[in-house]
Amino acid sequence: MNCSIVSDRGRAWIVDPGQEGERIVRLLAQKGLEPAAVLLTHAHFDHVCGIPALEKEFPDLPVYVGSGDMAMFGHPLNQFPPEYPSIPRPADLRDVDLLDLPWLKTIHTPGHTPGGVCYHIPGDGLLLSGDTLFAGSVGRTDFPGGSMATLVDSLKKLVVLPGETLVIPGHGPHTTIAAEIAGNPFL
Ligand SMILES: [Zn+2]
């Protein structure tokens, strides 16, 4: 899966640390970045397993997630050990609606999960779409709490973004909104 690190004036927001938390810690040090928070597009097992290593290094690190996904932490259905063990609820878990960054907009896109969101950075023409929108596809809706009808409604919020917006999905290659409108059967 794709983890993204977004930085602004020396501070870093880590989007979906799915694995390799130690590697993310090293990368932050190499780049001279101070972590501000973890931003989750959703709380599925493969997007959160890097959190414990980050919390070990940065114990006060806030973790933002859609409120509809908060119950997934520690839930037996949200793990596939050994690669994806049960991840306990982060010490400072916050509702993503409390996130207040002037350059980043949270778009609620439930469907893949009940609390799924995308992060839009209009100034950089960037959308971190999690598992809502992939290049040529969308996230599966057969996990607990998933709904294809809800996901289709959420996609309507993404197709209105500028066509040249670069989409970084939760898995697979990058794409753009225009390319997905042209070639994604779900749109
Ligand atoms: Zn997922």
Side-chain angles (χ1 to χ4, degrees):
M1 59 79 57
N2 299 319
C3 168
S4 299
I5 300 174
V6 182
S7 70
D8 178 41
R9 284 166 288 181
R11 302 186 77 211
W13 286 262
I14 302 142
V15 183
D16 288 357
Q19 280 278 22
E20 298 184 301
E22 293 87 357
R23 185 175 160 202
I24 297 169
V25 168
R26 284 200 305 276
L27 191 65
L28 292 170
Q30 280 168 18
K31 302 275 183 189
L33 294 172
E34 177 206 340
V38 168
L39 308 182
L40 298 177
T41 61
H42 64 298
H44 270 158
F45 58 90
D46 55 335
H47 293 248
V48 301
C49 284
I51 292 176
L54 287 167
E55 284 190 310
K56 194 173 160 207
E57 188 73 18
F58 311 108
D60 299 326
L61 193 63
V63 176
Y64 288 91
V65 71
S67 57
D69 280 14
M70 283 185 175
M72 289 184 188
F73 287 100
H75 197 288
L77 289 177
N78 195 30
Q79 56 171 292
F80 283 91
E83 285 86 1
Y84 301 105
S86 175
I87 298 299
R89 187 182 171 96
D92 188 354
L93 187 64
R94 302 185 189 182
D95 186 336
V96 78
D97 285 339
L98 302 177
L99 183 66
D100 185 18
L101 293 170
W103 46 269
L104 182 143
K105 189 168 159 278
T106 302
I107 304 173
H108 285 268
T109 53
H112 177 66
T113 64
V117 302
C118 294
Y119 298 106
H120 184 214
I121 305 176
D124 290 323
L126 192 63
L127 180 76
L128 302 157
S129 66
D131 290 5
T132 296
L133 177 63
F134 298 135
S137 190
V138 295
R140 53 193 286 182
T141 54
D142 57 333
F143 284 128
S147 160
M148 181 52 84
T150 307
L151 182 67
V152 165
D153 277 343
S154 292
L155 294 170
K156 292 173 185 163
K157 302 178 186 176
L158 303 183
V159 295
V160 297
L161 299 176
E164 65 272 21
T165 303
L166 177 67
V167 179
I168 300 181
H171 303 270
H174 299 176
T175 184
T176 63
I177 292 293
E180 292 315 301
I181 291 174
N184 188 323
F186 293 91
L187 303 190

